[in-house]
Structure formats: structure tokens, C-alpha cells
């Protein structure tokens, strides 16, 4: 057993109990996968990160759900950098992270942490009626062809007509497995639909989104940074977002309001990256005793 420092950070918010929480375990990147997943389940959070040394970047970051390791996640990236900054673990206003999705560049703009997600990859289109059955809505609630998009982690981007449809959505595991199968995913690698409306939750926002999830994860994610990048790429590709930079909102109906500034890198028809920026609030810190290697 070894003791590790950790920080519990609320990401995409500047205050306690907003945005999306993430526990950052410093120096824990060499821990066994089953230990990392068990730690996520212990916290009841959606994701946790485990950091370590890197030969190709300033720090290595591993991302875990309760059920598996994933290559990248947005709000845990913001949380990890906020935690490291609060402990004085790096100097300057820029650093790089080694992730399973590649090298992620980070820049600090005052209190805001900006990550540049990798160039979007556009995958399979999914029939609107199938996605509608997945979320318990009529097909008419979907106003644009759903498509898998990834800026490090794939999501089925689904644009809904209004907030009423967004709030009425409920996830059905059976149709979801069919959606995943059509895109070549199976088992625990399913990518849930990321639901978005073209109207903010507040006057400041340009979009308002939800991500519904299956067990053992919590039923809904308060703010999803990786999906926000993929969603933005989709909106720009299909001409649904006239701005080059906009405000994405999520979590307000959960009592955990979060917001991100999303900026396109490159032209809409040849994007080379997506910048997603937000703040992080360190809520608590301590030590955790975990079994396995420490280095």
C-alpha cells in the first residue's frame, strides 16, 4: 500500500459544487487498472485521473471511468491542470500532457485553462430514428443527422430542436447497444449520444447540452469537455454555429452549472484542433492509501 496526494476539483466552474468533479491522484499513473477503477467507484464520480512522469510531454495523465480506462476526457484535463497549478507543480503559462489520445497542449489565460483537443475525426452517421429510440424521443425532435465525432473520445452528436426535448430525453440501453454496434463499438466501449440544443441555458450561452450515461457511471454527466469539443466540430462542419468561438453550457438542470469557451482552430472545412477552455475550483485535498506500484 502507498499513500498518494489527491485533489478533488470542480471543473468548468469558478465556485464550489458547480461544473463536474474529478479526483486527481498525483503520481498514481503506474497503479493497476483495477485499483484505478475501484477508486473511481469509491468516489462516485464519473472520472478520475492519475498522473506520472512522461518522456514525451511535461506530465502523463491516465483517465478512468468506473468501468474502464479511456484515452482522453475534457473536464478531468481541466481538473488535473488546476490541481497541479494549485500545488505549484509547474511554472509558466503552458504545458503539455501525454494522454492516450496523443499530446494535449495546455495554455493558461488568467484563471482560465485552455486545452487544445486533437483534430476532429468524423465517423459513422446513425439513423435519426434509431438515436431517437435510444433517448425516448420522437424522430422529429432531432434536427440534424446524428454522427459519431471524436476529438480524443467518440460521441454520437445529436442536435435537438429545443430545451423541452433535451430535458425529456431518457437513455435506453437496448437501442444504445444497436447504435454502438452500427458504429463499430461493442461491450464497454459504447459512446453515448451527446445531446445539444442551439440555445444556451442562460443568456450568456450559445449551446446547452446533456450526456446521459449507463451504470456503473452516474446517470448523467454534469459537464463533458471532450464531448463539447466534438460537438463544436460537428456544429462548425455543418454550418450550425456561425461564431468562431462560443460559450457551451451544461449541468444547469442538475444544479451543477458549467460553462466552457470553445474556439475553432483552422477553417470549418479543415479543422486542425478544437480549443476548450474553462476554470477549475479545488474543493478539497488529502491523501489516499492505494495498493499497487507507486512508480
Amino acid at each position: 500500500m502507498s499513500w498518494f496526494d489527491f485533489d478533488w476539483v470542480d471543473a468548468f466552474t469558478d465556485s464550489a459544487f458547480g461544473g463536474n468533479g474529478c479526483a486527481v491522484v498525483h503520481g498514481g499513473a503506474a497503479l493497476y487498472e483495477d485499483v484505478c477503477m475501484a477508486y473511481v467507484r469509491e468516489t462516485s464520480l464519473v472520472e478520475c485521473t492519475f498522473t506520472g512522469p512522461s518522456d514525451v510531454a511535461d506530465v502523463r495523465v491516465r483517465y478512468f471511468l468506473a468501468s474502464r480506462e479511456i484515452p482522453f476526457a475534457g473536464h478531468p484535463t481541466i481538473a488535473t491542470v488546476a490541481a497541479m497549478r494549485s500545488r505549484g507543480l509547474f511554472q509558466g503559462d503552458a504545458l503539455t500532457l501525454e494522454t492516450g489520445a496523443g499530446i494535449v497542449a495546455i495554455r493558461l489565460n488568467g484563471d482560465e485553462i485552455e486545452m487544445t483537443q486533437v483534430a476532429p475525426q468524423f465517423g459513422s452517421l446513425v439513423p435519426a430514428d434509431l438515436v431517437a429510440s435510444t433517448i425516448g424521443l420522437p424522430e422529429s425532435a432531432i434536427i440534424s443527422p446524428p454522427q459519431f465525432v471524436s476529438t480524443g473520445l467518440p460521441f454520437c452528436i445529436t442536435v435537438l430542436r429545443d430545451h423541452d426535448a433535451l430535458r425529456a430525453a431518457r437513455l435506453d440501453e437496448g437501442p444504445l447497444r444497436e447504435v454502438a454496434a452500427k458504429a463499430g463499438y461493442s461491450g464497454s466501449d459504447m459512446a453515448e449520444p451527446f445531446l445539444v440544443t442551439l440555445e444556451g441555458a442562460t443568456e450568456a450561452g450559445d449551446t446547452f447540452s446533456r450526456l446521459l450515461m449507463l451504470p456503473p457511471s452516474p446517470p448523467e454527466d454534469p459537464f463533458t469537455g471532450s464531448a463539447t469539443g466534438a460537438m463544436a466540430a460537428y456544429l462548425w462542419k455543418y454550418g450550425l454555429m456561425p461564431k468562431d468561438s462560443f460559450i457551451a453550457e451544461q449541468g444547469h438542470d442538475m444544479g451543477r452549472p458549467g460553462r466552457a469557451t470553445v474556439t475553432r482552430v483552422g477553417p470549418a472545412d479543415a479543422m486542425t484542433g478544437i480549443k476548450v477552455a474553462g476554470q477549475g475550483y479545488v474543493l478539497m485535498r488529502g491523501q489516499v492509501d492505494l495498493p499497487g506500484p507507486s512508480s
Side-chain angles (χ1 to χ4, degrees):
M1 305 287 278
S2 301
W3 286 96
F4 296 87
D5 292 332
F6 78 89
D7 293 298
W8 186 301
V9 183
D10 288 336
F12 291 110
T13 182
D14 60 358
S15 59
F17 315 126
N20 202 351
C22 174
V24 181
V25 180
H26 300 280
L31 288 167
Y32 299 123
E33 289 185 6
D34 59 344
V35 172
C36 296
M37 290 184 290
Y39 181 71
V40 179
R41 292 192 293 270
E42 184 76 7
T43 66
S44 296
L45 293 166
V46 174
E47 291 146 332
C48 296
T49 62
F50 301 79
T51 69
S54 171
D55 294 329
V56 295
D58 293 311
V59 64
R60 180 189 181 201
V61 183
R62 297 180 71 188
Y63 302 82
F64 281 88
L65 299 168
S67 58
R68 68 189 190 276
E69 183 173 6
I70 56 177
F72 175 76
H75 91 268
T77 297
I78 299 296
T80 299
V81 176
M84 292 177 61
R85 179 170 64 175
S86 74
R87 289 178 177 265
L89 296 179
F90 66 89
Q91 304 297 321
D93 60 2
L95 75 158
T96 55
L97 309 180
E98 177 190 354
T99 77
I103 304 299
V104 174
I106 301 292
R107 180 165 293 278
L108 276 63
N109 299 316
D111 292 331
E112 203 166 59
I113 299 165
E114 180 185 82
M115 57 181 164
T116 300
Q117 298 178 7
V118 298
Q121 296 182 344
F122 294 89
S124 302
L125 290 164
V126 184
D129 61 340
L130 180 55
V131 177
S133 68
T134 297
I135 54 177
L137 296 177
E139 184 179 351
S140 60
I142 299 174
I143 64 172
S144 186
Q147 184 174 18
F148 277 92
V149 185
S150 174
T151 54
L153 193 66
F155 293 90
C156 183
I157 305 302
T158 304
V159 184
L160 300 181
R161 65 188 177 207
D162 54 32
H163 285 183
D164 288 342
L166 183 70
R167 292 182 172 117
R170 298 294 183 269
L171 194 61
D172 188 328
E173 182 174 355
L176 177 61
R177 292 192 178 279
E178 189 176 347
V179 168
K182 283 186 176 292
Y185 300 101
S186 62
S188 63
D189 293 325
M190 292 188 298
E192 294 89 349
F194 189 66
L195 312 176
V196 58
T197 59
L198 301 175
E199 180 185 359
T202 72
E203 291 185 359
D206 296 294
T207 63
F208 185 36
S209 302
R210 294 181 72 193
L211 180 68
L212 307 177
M213 307 181 75
L214 294 175
S217 294
E220 185 168 349
D221 199 26
F223 199 99
T224 319
S226 52
T228 294
M231 171 269 289
Y234 177 100
L235 297 184
W236 282 315
K237 176 180 174 66
Y238 291 103
L240 298 173
M241 175 53 65
K243 301 179 180 179
D244 293 336
S245 182
F246 69 91
I247 300 298
E249 297 182 318
Q250 188 180 342
H252 292 62
D253 290 346
M254 301 175 66
R256 298 192 64 94
R259 61 178 288 173
T261 304
V262 193
T263 305
R264 191 179 71 237
V265 183
D269 59 353
M271 290 172 274
T272 58
I274 304 293
K275 294 182 179 181
V276 179
Q279 298 187 41
Y281 184 92
V282 179
L283 182 67
M284 67 180 92
R285 65 175 27 142
Q287 291 186 314
V288 58
D289 190 10
L290 296 173
S294 58
S295 61

PDB file of all heavy atoms in Angstrom, residues 151-183:
ATOM      1  N   THR A 151     -12.785  14.062 -30.726  1.00  0.00           N
ATOM      2  CA  THR A 151     -11.584  14.894 -30.584  1.00  0.00           C
ATOM      3  C   THR A 151     -10.711  14.263 -29.495  1.00  0.00           C
ATOM      4  O   THR A 151     -10.064  14.949 -28.721  1.00  0.00           O
ATOM      5  CB  THR A 151     -11.935  16.344 -30.219  1.00  0.00           C
ATOM      6  OG1 THR A 151     -12.766  16.342 -29.042  1.00  0.00           O
ATOM      7  CG2 THR A 151     -12.651  17.051 -31.353  1.00  0.00           C
ATOM      8  N   GLY A 152     -10.712  12.933 -29.467  1.00  0.00           N
ATOM      9  CA  GLY A 152      -9.988  12.157 -28.469  1.00  0.00           C
ATOM     10  C   GLY A 152     -10.831  11.044 -27.891  1.00  0.00           C
ATOM     11  O   GLY A 152     -10.310  10.036 -27.420  1.00  0.00           O
ATOM     12  N   LEU A 153     -12.157  11.227 -27.905  1.00  0.00           N
ATOM     13  CA  LEU A 153     -13.099  10.232 -27.417  1.00  0.00           C
ATOM     14  C   LEU A 153     -14.385  10.385 -28.238  1.00  0.00           C
ATOM     15  O   LEU A 153     -14.881  11.498 -28.385  1.00  0.00           O
ATOM     16  CB  LEU A 153     -13.380  10.447 -25.926  1.00  0.00           C
ATOM     17  CG  LEU A 153     -14.099   9.327 -25.171  1.00  0.00           C
ATOM     18  CD1 LEU A 153     -13.222   8.077 -25.093  1.00  0.00           C
ATOM     19  CD2 LEU A 153     -14.470   9.785 -23.765  1.00  0.00           C
ATOM     20  N   PRO A 154     -14.937   9.289 -28.796  1.00  0.00           N
ATOM     21  CA  PRO A 154     -16.086   9.419 -29.701  1.00  0.00           C
ATOM     22  C   PRO A 154     -17.410   9.586 -28.970  1.00  0.00           C
ATOM     23  O   PRO A 154     -17.664   8.960 -27.940  1.00  0.00           O
ATOM     24  CB  PRO A 154     -16.063   8.091 -30.473  1.00  0.00           C
ATOM     25  CG  PRO A 154     -15.430   7.123 -29.522  1.00  0.00           C
ATOM     26  CD  PRO A 154     -14.427   7.906 -28.730  1.00  0.00           C
ATOM     27  N   PHE A 155     -18.264  10.433 -29.540  1.00  0.00           N
ATOM     28  CA  PHE A 155     -19.628  10.634 -29.062  1.00  0.00           C
ATOM     29  C   PHE A 155     -20.550  10.739 -30.270  1.00  0.00           C
ATOM     30  O   PHE A 155     -20.151  11.256 -31.317  1.00  0.00           O
ATOM     31  CB  PHE A 155     -19.749  11.912 -28.231  1.00  0.00           C
ATOM     32  CG  PHE A 155     -19.001  11.875 -26.931  1.00  0.00           C
ATOM     33  CD1 PHE A 155     -17.677  12.301 -26.864  1.00  0.00           C
ATOM     34  CD2 PHE A 155     -19.600  11.400 -25.772  1.00  0.00           C
ATOM     35  CE1 PHE A 155     -16.980  12.256 -25.670  1.00  0.00           C
ATOM     36  CE2 PHE A 155     -18.917  11.345 -24.573  1.00  0.00           C
ATOM     37  CZ  PHE A 155     -17.599  11.773 -24.522  1.00  0.00           C
ATOM     38  N   CYS A 156     -21.766  10.279 -30.097  1.00  0.00           N
ATOM     39  CA  CYS A 156     -22.779  10.423 -31.138  1.00  0.00           C
ATOM     40  C   CYS A 156     -23.444  11.787 -30.957  1.00  0.00           C
ATOM     41  O   CYS A 156     -24.313  11.962 -30.094  1.00  0.00           O
ATOM     42  CB  CYS A 156     -23.799   9.297 -31.038  1.00  0.00           C
ATOM     43  SG  CYS A 156     -25.056   9.336 -32.332  1.00  0.00           S
ATOM     44  N   ILE A 157     -23.029  12.757 -31.740  1.00  0.00           N
ATOM     45  CA  ILE A 157     -23.531  14.127 -31.595  1.00  0.00           C
ATOM     46  C   ILE A 157     -24.947  14.194 -32.156  1.00  0.00           C
ATOM     47  O   ILE A 157     -25.196  13.853 -33.319  1.00  0.00           O
ATOM     48  CB  ILE A 157     -22.612  15.129 -32.309  1.00  0.00           C
ATOM     49  CG1 ILE A 157     -21.168  14.986 -31.800  1.00  0.00           C
ATOM     50  CG2 ILE A 157     -23.128  16.554 -32.085  1.00  0.00           C
ATOM     51  CD1 ILE A 157     -20.998  15.175 -30.301  1.00  0.00           C
ATOM     52  N   THR A 158     -25.871  14.661 -31.315  1.00  0.00           N
ATOM     53  CA  THR A 158     -27.285  14.670 -31.655  1.00  0.00           C
ATOM     54  C   THR A 158     -27.868  16.042 -31.325  1.00  0.00           C
ATOM     55  O   THR A 158     -27.904  16.437 -30.160  1.00  0.00           O
ATOM     56  CB  THR A 158     -28.041  13.579 -30.871  1.00  0.00           C
ATOM     57  OG1 THR A 158     -27.430  12.305 -31.132  1.00  0.00           O
ATOM     58  CG2 THR A 158     -29.504  13.533 -31.260  1.00  0.00           C
ATOM     59  N   VAL A 159     -28.295  16.771 -32.349  1.00  0.00           N
ATOM     60  CA  VAL A 159     -28.818  18.123 -32.165  1.00  0.00           C
ATOM     61  C   VAL A 159     -30.336  18.039 -32.027  1.00  0.00           C
ATOM     62  O   VAL A 159     -31.035  17.518 -32.908  1.00  0.00           O
ATOM     63  CB  VAL A 159     -28.445  19.036 -33.350  1.00  0.00           C
ATOM     64  CG1 VAL A 159     -28.924  20.461 -33.090  1.00  0.00           C
ATOM     65  CG2 VAL A 159     -26.932  19.016 -33.577  1.00  0.00           C
ATOM     66  N   LEU A 160     -30.861  18.561 -30.917  1.00  0.00           N
ATOM     67  CA  LEU A 160     -32.287  18.523 -30.630  1.00  0.00           C
ATOM     68  C   LEU A 160     -32.925  19.884 -30.891  1.00  0.00           C
ATOM     69  O   LEU A 160     -32.264  20.921 -30.868  1.00  0.00           O
ATOM     70  CB  LEU A 160     -32.522  18.111 -29.179  1.00  0.00           C
ATOM     71  CG  LEU A 160     -31.985  16.728 -28.777  1.00  0.00           C
ATOM     72  CD1 LEU A 160     -32.320  16.438 -27.313  1.00  0.00           C
ATOM     73  CD2 LEU A 160     -32.551  15.641 -29.675  1.00  0.00           C
ATOM     74  N   ARG A 161     -34.240  19.870 -31.079  1.00  0.00           N
ATOM     75  CA  ARG A 161     -34.942  21.078 -31.528  1.00  0.00           C
ATOM     76  C   ARG A 161     -35.038  22.148 -30.451  1.00  0.00           C
ATOM     77  O   ARG A 161     -35.057  23.345 -30.756  1.00  0.00           O
ATOM     78  CB  ARG A 161     -36.339  20.713 -32.023  1.00  0.00           C
ATOM     79  CG  ARG A 161     -37.259  20.178 -30.943  1.00  0.00           C
ATOM     80  CD  ARG A 161     -38.568  19.646 -31.477  1.00  0.00           C
ATOM     81  NE  ARG A 161     -39.388  19.083 -30.408  1.00  0.00           N
ATOM     82  CZ  ARG A 161     -40.283  18.128 -30.594  1.00  0.00           C
ATOM     83  NH1 ARG A 161     -40.475  17.635 -31.809  1.00  0.00           N
ATOM     84  NH2 ARG A 161     -40.986  17.677 -29.579  1.00  0.00           N
ATOM     85  N   ASP A 162     -35.139  21.750 -29.150  1.00  0.00           N
ATOM     86  CA  ASP A 162     -35.341  22.753 -28.109  1.00  0.00           C
ATOM     87  C   ASP A 162     -35.034  22.171 -26.729  1.00  0.00           C
ATOM     88  O   ASP A 162     -34.733  20.981 -26.588  1.00  0.00           O
ATOM     89  CB  ASP A 162     -36.780  23.297 -28.138  1.00  0.00           C
ATOM     90  CG  ASP A 162     -37.845  22.205 -28.067  1.00  0.00           C
ATOM     91  OD1 ASP A 162     -37.599  21.162 -27.431  1.00  0.00           O
ATOM     92  OD2 ASP A 162     -38.937  22.413 -28.646  1.00  0.00           O
ATOM     93  N   HIS A 163     -35.134  23.027 -25.726  1.00  0.00           N
ATOM     94  CA  HIS A 163     -34.848  22.618 -24.351  1.00  0.00           C
ATOM     95  C   HIS A 163     -35.849  21.604 -23.832  1.00  0.00           C
ATOM     96  O   HIS A 163     -35.496  20.737 -23.018  1.00  0.00           O
ATOM     97  CB  HIS A 163     -34.841  23.846 -23.433  1.00  0.00           C
ATOM     98  CG  HIS A 163     -33.615  24.686 -23.564  1.00  0.00           C
ATOM     99  ND1 HIS A 163     -33.387  25.800 -22.775  1.00  0.00           N
ATOM    100  CD2 HIS A 163     -32.541  24.600 -24.385  1.00  0.00           C
ATOM    101  CE1 HIS A 163     -32.239  26.353 -23.106  1.00  0.00           C
ATOM    102  NE2 HIS A 163     -31.713  25.648 -24.090  1.00  0.00           N
ATOM    103  N   ASP A 164     -37.093  21.685 -24.272  1.00  0.00           N
ATOM    104  CA  ASP A 164     -38.090  20.710 -23.814  1.00  0.00           C
ATOM    105  C   ASP A 164     -37.689  19.300 -24.220  1.00  0.00           C
ATOM    106  O   ASP A 164     -37.793  18.352 -23.416  1.00  0.00           O
ATOM    107  CB  ASP A 164     -39.475  21.047 -24.375  1.00  0.00           C
ATOM    108  CG  ASP A 164     -40.093  22.277 -23.727  1.00  0.00           C
ATOM    109  OD1 ASP A 164     -39.629  22.665 -22.625  1.00  0.00           O
ATOM    110  OD2 ASP A 164     -41.022  22.857 -24.317  1.00  0.00           O
ATOM    111  N   ALA A 165     -37.246  19.142 -25.456  1.00  0.00           N
ATOM    112  CA  ALA A 165     -36.792  17.832 -25.915  1.00  0.00           C
ATOM    113  C   ALA A 165     -35.551  17.390 -25.146  1.00  0.00           C
ATOM    114  O   ALA A 165     -35.424  16.225 -24.748  1.00  0.00           O
ATOM    115  CB  ALA A 165     -36.511  17.868 -27.417  1.00  0.00           C
ATOM    116  N   LEU A 166     -34.646  18.316 -24.927  1.00  0.00           N
ATOM    117  CA  LEU A 166     -33.420  17.999 -24.187  1.00  0.00           C
ATOM    118  C   LEU A 166     -33.747  17.486 -22.783  1.00  0.00           C
ATOM    119  O   LEU A 166     -33.190  16.477 -22.327  1.00  0.00           O
ATOM    120  CB  LEU A 166     -32.542  19.246 -24.099  1.00  0.00           C
ATOM    121  CG  LEU A 166     -31.180  19.080 -23.429  1.00  0.00           C
ATOM    122  CD1 LEU A 166     -30.239  18.261 -24.298  1.00  0.00           C
ATOM    123  CD2 LEU A 166     -30.559  20.447 -23.126  1.00  0.00           C
ATOM    124  N   ARG A 167     -34.664  18.146 -22.114  1.00  0.00           N
ATOM    125  CA  ARG A 167     -34.993  17.772 -20.730  1.00  0.00           C
ATOM    126  C   ARG A 167     -35.811  16.486 -20.669  1.00  0.00           C
ATOM    127  O   ARG A 167     -35.793  15.791 -19.660  1.00  0.00           O
ATOM    128  CB  ARG A 167     -35.743  18.922 -20.062  1.00  0.00           C
ATOM    129  CG  ARG A 167     -34.861  20.157 -19.856  1.00  0.00           C
ATOM    130  CD  ARG A 167     -35.582  21.291 -19.152  1.00  0.00           C
ATOM    131  NE  ARG A 167     -34.639  22.349 -18.810  1.00  0.00           N
ATOM    132  CZ  ARG A 167     -34.694  23.597 -19.304  1.00  0.00           C
ATOM    133  NH1 ARG A 167     -35.653  23.936 -20.149  1.00  0.00           N
ATOM    134  NH2 ARG A 167     -33.790  24.490 -18.948  1.00  0.00           N
ATOM    135  N   ALA A 168     -36.520  16.148 -21.748  1.00  0.00           N
ATOM    136  CA  ALA A 168     -37.357  14.953 -21.753  1.00  0.00           C
ATOM    137  C   ALA A 168     -36.574  13.682 -22.078  1.00  0.00           C
ATOM    138  O   ALA A 168     -37.080  12.578 -21.885  1.00  0.00           O
ATOM    139  CB  ALA A 168     -38.500  15.114 -22.760  1.00  0.00           C
ATOM    140  N   ALA A 169     -35.356  13.809 -22.559  1.00  0.00           N
ATOM    141  CA  ALA A 169     -34.586  12.648 -23.010  1.00  0.00           C
ATOM    142  C   ALA A 169     -34.287  11.694 -21.858  1.00  0.00           C
ATOM    143  O   ALA A 169     -33.940  12.121 -20.751  1.00  0.00           O
ATOM    144  CB  ALA A 169     -33.286  13.114 -23.655  1.00  0.00           C
ATOM    145  N   ARG A 170     -34.415  10.394 -22.134  1.00  0.00           N
ATOM    146  CA  ARG A 170     -34.087   9.326 -21.181  1.00  0.00           C
ATOM    147  C   ARG A 170     -33.361   8.225 -21.940  1.00  0.00           C
ATOM    148  O   ARG A 170     -33.772   7.837 -23.026  1.00  0.00           O
ATOM    149  CB  ARG A 170     -35.359   8.754 -20.540  1.00  0.00           C
ATOM    150  CG  ARG A 170     -36.167   9.759 -19.729  1.00  0.00           C
ATOM    151  CD  ARG A 170     -35.423  10.231 -18.480  1.00  0.00           C
ATOM    152  NE  ARG A 170     -36.230  11.140 -17.681  1.00  0.00           N
ATOM    153  CZ  ARG A 170     -36.231  12.464 -17.820  1.00  0.00           C
ATOM    154  NH1 ARG A 170     -35.477  13.024 -18.770  1.00  0.00           N
ATOM    155  NH2 ARG A 170     -36.983  13.223 -17.056  1.00  0.00           N
ATOM    156  N   LEU A 171     -32.297   7.697 -21.359  1.00  0.00           N
ATOM    157  CA  LEU A 171     -31.445   6.736 -22.057  1.00  0.00           C
ATOM    158  C   LEU A 171     -31.990   5.319 -21.926  1.00  0.00           C
ATOM    159  O   LEU A 171     -32.350   4.870 -20.834  1.00  0.00           O
ATOM    160  CB  LEU A 171     -30.024   6.809 -21.485  1.00  0.00           C
ATOM    161  CG  LEU A 171     -28.920   6.131 -22.297  1.00  0.00           C
ATOM    162  CD1 LEU A 171     -28.800   6.777 -23.672  1.00  0.00           C
ATOM    163  CD2 LEU A 171     -27.585   6.239 -21.553  1.00  0.00           C
ATOM    164  N   ASP A 172     -32.007   4.595 -23.054  1.00  0.00           N
ATOM    165  CA  ASP A 172     -32.464   3.208 -23.098  1.00  0.00           C
ATOM    166  C   ASP A 172     -31.288   2.350 -23.563  1.00  0.00           C
ATOM    167  O   ASP A 172     -30.798   2.502 -24.690  1.00  0.00           O
ATOM    168  CB  ASP A 172     -33.643   3.077 -24.056  1.00  0.00           C
ATOM    169  CG  ASP A 172     -34.294   1.692 -24.004  1.00  0.00           C
ATOM    170  OD1 ASP A 172     -33.582   0.705 -23.760  1.00  0.00           O
ATOM    171  OD2 ASP A 172     -35.510   1.605 -24.230  1.00  0.00           O
ATOM    172  N   GLU A 173     -30.846   1.436 -22.716  1.00  0.00           N
ATOM    173  CA  GLU A 173     -29.631   0.670 -23.006  1.00  0.00           C
ATOM    174  C   GLU A 173     -29.768  -0.202 -24.247  1.00  0.00           C
ATOM    175  O   GLU A 173     -28.806  -0.353 -25.012  1.00  0.00           O
ATOM    176  CB  GLU A 173     -29.261  -0.199 -21.803  1.00  0.00           C
ATOM    177  CG  GLU A 173     -27.973  -0.987 -22.006  1.00  0.00           C
ATOM    178  CD  GLU A 173     -27.537  -1.723 -20.766  1.00  0.00           C
ATOM    179  OE1 GLU A 173     -28.184  -1.553 -19.704  1.00  0.00           O
ATOM    180  OE2 GLU A 173     -26.545  -2.460 -20.850  1.00  0.00           O
ATOM    181  N   GLY A 174     -30.942  -0.799 -24.491  1.00  0.00           N
ATOM    182  CA  GLY A 174     -31.101  -1.688 -25.631  1.00  0.00           C
ATOM    183  C   GLY A 174     -30.818  -1.013 -26.961  1.00  0.00           C
ATOM    184  O   GLY A 174     -29.916  -1.438 -27.707  1.00  0.00           O
ATOM    185  N   PRO A 175     -31.537   0.053 -27.320  1.00  0.00           N
ATOM    186  CA  PRO A 175     -31.240   0.759 -28.566  1.00  0.00           C
ATOM    187  C   PRO A 175     -29.828   1.345 -28.588  1.00  0.00           C
ATOM    188  O   PRO A 175     -29.217   1.435 -29.657  1.00  0.00           O
ATOM    189  CB  PRO A 175     -32.300   1.867 -28.607  1.00  0.00           C
ATOM    190  CG  PRO A 175     -33.416   1.350 -27.772  1.00  0.00           C
ATOM    191  CD  PRO A 175     -32.757   0.558 -26.679  1.00  0.00           C
ATOM    192  N   LEU A 176     -29.306   1.752 -27.419  1.00  0.00           N
ATOM    193  CA  LEU A 176     -27.959   2.303 -27.389  1.00  0.00           C
ATOM    194  C   LEU A 176     -26.939   1.281 -27.883  1.00  0.00           C
ATOM    195  O   LEU A 176     -26.001   1.617 -28.611  1.00  0.00           O
ATOM    196  CB  LEU A 176     -27.606   2.769 -25.976  1.00  0.00           C
ATOM    197  CG  LEU A 176     -26.171   3.300 -25.786  1.00  0.00           C
ATOM    198  CD1 LEU A 176     -25.927   4.511 -26.683  1.00  0.00           C
ATOM    199  CD2 LEU A 176     -25.920   3.652 -24.331  1.00  0.00           C
ATOM    200  N   ARG A 177     -27.113   0.037 -27.500  1.00  0.00           N
ATOM    201  CA  ARG A 177     -26.189  -1.000 -27.964  1.00  0.00           C
ATOM    202  C   ARG A 177     -26.275  -1.163 -29.483  1.00  0.00           C
ATOM    203  O   ARG A 177     -25.266  -1.439 -30.148  1.00  0.00           O
ATOM    204  CB  ARG A 177     -26.476  -2.312 -27.253  1.00  0.00           C
ATOM    205  CG  ARG A 177     -26.131  -2.255 -25.763  1.00  0.00           C
ATOM    206  CD  ARG A 177     -26.147  -3.623 -25.106  1.00  0.00           C
ATOM    207  NE  ARG A 177     -25.774  -3.512 -23.704  1.00  0.00           N
ATOM    208  CZ  ARG A 177     -24.511  -3.432 -23.262  1.00  0.00           C
ATOM    209  NH1 ARG A 177     -23.509  -3.475 -24.137  1.00  0.00           N
ATOM    210  NH2 ARG A 177     -24.265  -3.331 -21.974  1.00  0.00           N
ATOM    211  N   GLU A 178     -27.465  -0.976 -30.053  1.00  0.00           N
ATOM    212  CA  GLU A 178     -27.605  -1.055 -31.502  1.00  0.00           C
ATOM    213  C   GLU A 178     -26.907   0.127 -32.179  1.00  0.00           C
ATOM    214  O   GLU A 178     -26.254  -0.033 -33.216  1.00  0.00           O
ATOM    215  CB  GLU A 178     -29.083  -1.083 -31.877  1.00  0.00           C
ATOM    216  CG  GLU A 178     -29.323  -1.388 -33.341  1.00  0.00           C
ATOM    217  CD  GLU A 178     -30.801  -1.512 -33.680  1.00  0.00           C
ATOM    218  OE1 GLU A 178     -31.626  -1.604 -32.744  1.00  0.00           O
ATOM    219  OE2 GLU A 178     -31.119  -1.519 -34.886  1.00  0.00           O
ATOM    220  N   VAL A 179     -27.027   1.318 -31.594  1.00  0.00           N
ATOM    221  CA  VAL A 179     -26.328   2.487 -32.121  1.00  0.00           C
ATOM    222  C   VAL A 179     -24.824   2.241 -32.100  1.00  0.00           C
ATOM    223  O   VAL A 179     -24.105   2.491 -33.075  1.00  0.00           O
ATOM    224  CB  VAL A 179     -26.670   3.747 -31.291  1.00  0.00           C
ATOM    225  CG1 VAL A 179     -25.733   4.899 -31.653  1.00  0.00           C
ATOM    226  CG2 VAL A 179     -28.110   4.161 -31.537  1.00  0.00           C
ATOM    227  N   ALA A 180     -24.319   1.736 -30.972  1.00  0.00           N
ATOM    228  CA  ALA A 180     -22.889   1.472 -30.841  1.00  0.00           C
ATOM    229  C   ALA A 180     -22.430   0.436 -31.859  1.00  0.00           C
ATOM    230  O   ALA A 180     -21.359   0.580 -32.470  1.00  0.00           O
ATOM    231  CB  ALA A 180     -22.579   1.009 -29.420  1.00  0.00           C
ATOM    232  N   ALA A 181     -23.230  -0.610 -32.056  1.00  0.00           N
ATOM    233  CA  ALA A 181     -22.857  -1.661 -32.998  1.00  0.00           C
ATOM    234  C   ALA A 181     -22.756  -1.125 -34.420  1.00  0.00           C
ATOM    235  O   ALA A 181     -21.857  -1.501 -35.185  1.00  0.00           O
ATOM    236  CB  ALA A 181     -23.863  -2.801 -32.929  1.00  0.00           C
ATOM    237  N   LYS A 182     -23.668  -0.229 -34.808  1.00  0.00           N
ATOM    238  CA  LYS A 182     -23.628   0.349 -36.151  1.00  0.00           C
ATOM    239  C   LYS A 182     -22.356   1.157 -36.384  1.00  0.00           C
ATOM    240  O   LYS A 182     -21.896   1.305 -37.510  1.00  0.00           O
ATOM    241  CB  LYS A 182     -24.860   1.230 -36.386  1.00  0.00           C
ATOM    242  CG  LYS A 182     -26.129   0.439 -36.664  1.00  0.00           C
ATOM    243  CD  LYS A 182     -27.272   1.363 -37.021  1.00  0.00           C
ATOM    244  CE  LYS A 182     -28.512   0.555 -37.393  1.00  0.00           C
ATOM    245  NZ  LYS A 182     -28.306  -0.182 -38.659  1.00  0.00           N
ATOM    246  N   ALA A 183     -21.786   1.692 -35.298  1.00  0.00           N
ATOM    247  CA  ALA A 183     -20.565   2.482 -35.421  1.00  0.00           C
ATOM    248  C   ALA A 183     -19.315   1.658 -35.152  1.00  0.00           C
ATOM    249  O   ALA A 183     -18.208   2.200 -35.130  1.00  0.00           O
ATOM    250  CB  ALA A 183     -20.623   3.668 -34.465  1.00  0.00           C
TER     251      ALA A 183
END
